[in-house]
Amino acid sequence: MSGVRLGQLLLALDATLVSLVEAPRGLDLPVASAALLDREDIQLGVAPAFGSADVFFLLGIDHPDTIRWLDQHGRSPVAIFAKHPSPEVIRRATRAGIAVVAVEPRARWERLYRLVDHVFDHHGAGSAHDSGTDLFGLAQSIAERTRGMVSIEDAESHVLAYSASNEEADELRRLSILGRAGPPEHLAWIARRGIFDALHAKPDPVRVAERPELGLRPRLAIGIFAATGDTRRAPAFLGTIWLQQGDRPLAEDTEEVLRGAAVLAGRLITRLTAKPSGHAVLVQDMLGLTGDPPEIEAISRELGIPATGRAAVIGIDSTTEGTRLADVLALSASAFRPDAQVAAAGGRVYVLFPDAGKGLPSWVRSTVSALRTELGLELRAVTAAQLEGLAGAAAARAEVDRVLDSAARRPGSLAAITSPAEARTTVLLDEIVTMIAADGRLVDPRIRALRADEPVLAHTLTVYLDSFGDVASAAAALHVHPNTVRYRVRRIEGILGASLAEPDVRLLMTLSLRATA
């Protein structure tokens, strides 16, 4: 992850999101890492040390807590980002040589975190204005060429990059960059006019009229598509380039510029999507996700984390489609521990804590609860904790995957938050049943016939076996008289030609019933 200068970072983020308050050591200091800090970190005494990151985002921390945190540490970070920094916080930080950056109050922290992370990974020295390698550079190049203001969004309308804003930026542009939804009446109007449909249909510029009553200026937009050599298959829609017009008219050849820009943006987004950052690849290596044996010492040095200690691996699955789960979890995990490492693979997200600490179970519970409440996400989380160093991370991740795979196959069989140890019985039994189901020779044919010919008896047998042969319990579960259960059991034994009093028979029938359920 190559470092950028503080000034470069602030220019990339734009005055829409942040504004510099003080920079006592200037803007040329290198920055390459960010950490999040919330009030609970300070109150619980688990706030990250200054040396763990170059810049800190202060989430919802009041004046006294911020002062206390600033006074606790000797080494100073490069900068702190805060909403409404008080005069006393500014004085204390400046005296310690820390730059203070004010964050727009309406900005979403997760948007700011994602953009900063993108800048660190793809906007380093030498690429800040290279439209062939960076989306921010491409956006700025389009803006300079067309005399407008550009934002590039992905397929889910998340802003990936944008050009510099000026006083001519309208409310829709500002809200989009801040991570907030635009005026609902305007979005509904765009939908009614078929503009979204046109953008998804083909890579041709689409004009969006101004809305003076809403303070919105005219725009041009064009869809971004993935290049494909298969003419029989429609290219995948990757996102949109939005060009807001200011006081000056757009360049005469703006539409042609946008067509070329859409091609370049398609290549960049495809490349960034297909190839994770170097940091992400290292974390994937550590977790054994790349297939190569991890070189723990080398990877830990590269990531700047200790190879020894009480580590933990958490795997999280979402049953909610279309969720940028990795981004959301990276925000929460980094707020909890600045050395947290996040990787995604196959729609599943993994969080590695080199030093888990005592608050891990509480973090997992609060994160799952908060994402359910605030974003409507239904999550499954599996924690493998107290590993003896990072050498066990890959094996722990594999055990976590076993539990998540089992939970996906048998919804409701496991708690939403569990561990490999807590889930061992359920997972092993599920894996045994899954193996039996995959090989028809291992399923008793008498059970298949019973299910096909006598489904009521098959259900009765399942309940009877799950009740450990207790007739009264089975009758209560089936809502029938105990004599009815006794009669059905005798019929089942006659059809099977076996006695259910035999332990081996009960075991075989139970496994076959579960494998054919």
Side-chain angles (χ1 to χ4, degrees):
M1 185 180 289
S2 59
V4 300
R5 304 293 176 183
L6 177 60
Q8 288 178 302
L9 176 62
L10 297 181
L11 283 174
L13 294 177
D14 190 67
T16 301
L17 270 175
V18 299
S19 59
L20 179 66
V21 180
E22 292 286 351
R25 291 187 287 166
L27 297 175
D28 287 332
L29 294 176
V31 289
S33 60
L36 296 103
L37 180 70
D38 63 24
R39 184 172 56 183
E40 197 172 72
D41 291 336
I42 295 176
Q43 294 175 345
L44 294 177
V46 295
F50 278 171
S52 61
D54 297 320
V55 299
F56 284 83
F57 300 150
L58 309 186
L59 282 66
I61 305 176
D62 57 19
H63 169 89
D65 284 336
T66 302
I67 295 297
R68 184 162 63 253
W69 179 69
L70 287 170
D71 289 344
Q72 284 175 351
H73 301 276
R75 179 183 173 186
S76 300
V78 175
I80 57 173
F81 287 64
K83 297 181 180 180
H84 306 297
S86 70
E88 181 60 22
V89 166
I90 295 170
R91 279 195 297 272
R92 294 286 187 97
T94 303
R95 194 166 59 202
I98 304 170
V100 179
V101 180
V103 177
E104 157 64 44
R106 294 177 298 174
R108 298 179 68 98
W109 284 109
E110 65 268 23
R111 171 61 55 83
L112 179 60
Y113 182 87
R114 185 165 61 244
L115 286 171
V116 168
D117 190 56
H118 177 87
V119 172
F120 286 158
D121 275 340
H122 308 292
H123 199 59
S127 67
H129 300 288
D130 181 358
S131 61
T133 59
D134 180 70
L135 283 173
F136 277 95
L138 175 61
Q140 189 61 38
S141 296
I142 300 169
E144 293 170 357
R145 180 68 176 75
T146 61
R147 302 195 293 266
M149 285 170 282
V150 175
S151 60
I152 301 175
E153 299 181 354
D154 65 12
E156 297 173 341
S157 299
H158 296 116
V159 175
L160 299 174
Y162 46 85
S163 64
S165 299
N166 55 38
E167 65 277 3
E168 299 165 14
D170 63 17
E171 188 69 0
L172 179 58
R173 174 178 172 82
R174 287 193 291 269
L175 289 173
S176 298
I177 293 174
L178 293 172
R180 302 290 179 180
E185 57 267 43
H186 180 66
L187 299 179
W189 177 80
I190 288 179
R192 288 197 303 272
R193 294 288 296 269
I195 292 170
F196 289 135
D197 291 338
L199 291 172
H200 282 72
K202 55 184 179 179
D204 284 336
V206 177
R207 293 192 175 272
V208 183
E210 64 179 334
R211 303 289 305 281
E213 73 279 12
L214 297 177
L216 303 183
R217 295 175 178 263
R219 280 171 167 71
L220 272 175
I222 189 168
I224 304 169
F225 294 85
T228 175
D230 188 351
T231 57
R232 298 168 299 177
R233 182 165 54 88
F237 178 76
L238 300 177
T240 308
I241 299 176
W242 292 93
L243 176 66
Q244 185 217 303
Q245 182 176 328
D247 291 338
R248 295 188 301 167
L250 298 175
E252 290 185 3
D253 59 348
T254 291
E255 292 194 4
E256 287 305 308
V257 172
L258 283 181
R259 287 189 177 91
V263 173
L264 292 176
R267 292 174 185 167
L268 285 171
I269 294 175
T270 300
R271 189 185 310 160
L272 295 177
T273 302
K275 182 180 180 181
S277 69
H279 184 99
V281 171
L282 288 172
V283 180
Q284 290 176 345
D285 283 345
M286 181 76 73
L287 294 172
L289 293 167
T290 60
D292 299 322
E295 298 179 5
I296 301 301
E297 292 295 336
I299 295 175
S300 62
R301 282 197 304 271
E302 190 74 18
L303 293 175
I305 56 178
T308 59
R310 296 281 186 171
V313 175
I314 298 96
I316 300 179
D317 245 343
S318 174
T319 59
T320 308
E321 296 295 329
T323 302
R324 298 176 68 92
L325 187 58
D327 291 336
V328 175
L329 287 172
L331 178 67
S332 179
S334 298
F336 175 66
R337 289 283 188 276
D339 59 354
Q341 310 296 320
V342 179
R348 193 169 284 172
V349 180
Y350 306 91
V351 183
L352 168 66
F353 291 110
D355 182 13
K358 295 180 179 179
L360 181 60
S362 175
W363 176 80
V364 174
R365 288 193 301 271
S366 62
T367 298
V368 170
S369 175
L371 295 184
R372 181 186 299 116
T373 301
E374 297 176 11
L375 300 180
L377 302 182
E378 291 298 330
L379 304 178
R380 290 185 291 261
V382 180
T383 304
Q386 302 302 310
L387 311 179
E388 292 298 333
L390 298 181
R397 191 272 312 160
E399 288 300 304
V400 164
D401 273 344
R402 289 179 65 187
V403 180
L404 290 173
D405 290 343
S406 178
R409 285 191 297 265
R410 312 275 178 179
S413 62
L414 292 167
I417 302 173
T418 187
S419 69
E422 293 168 340
R424 183 166 291 119
T425 298
T426 301
V427 171
L428 286 174
L429 181 57
D430 169 62
E431 290 177 342
I432 291 169
V433 170
T434 300
M435 291 175 63
I436 292 172
D439 188 343
R441 300 172 302 169
L442 301 179
V443 177
D444 194 310
R446 294 171 293 182
I447 290 299
R448 293 193 187 277
L450 189 68
R451 281 198 180 280
D453 302 334
E454 299 283 357
V456 173
L457 294 183
H459 180 56
T460 298
L461 178 57
T462 300
V463 174
Y464 177 76
L465 292 172
D466 287 347
S467 301
F468 306 102
D470 187 305
V471 172
S473 297
L478 292 167
H479 305 290
V480 298
H481 193 277
N483 287 340
T484 301
V485 175
R486 294 186 182 96
Y487 168 72
R488 290 179 182 177
V489 168
R490 286 196 297 271
R491 282 194 60 199
I492 291 168
E493 289 179 324
I495 293 171
L496 298 179
S499 171
L500 294 176
E502 294 292 331
D504 289 351
V505 173
R506 291 199 302 271
L507 175 60
L508 178 60
M509 297 307 157
T510 298
L511 292 174
S512 293
L513 284 166
R514 295 199 180 200
T516 56

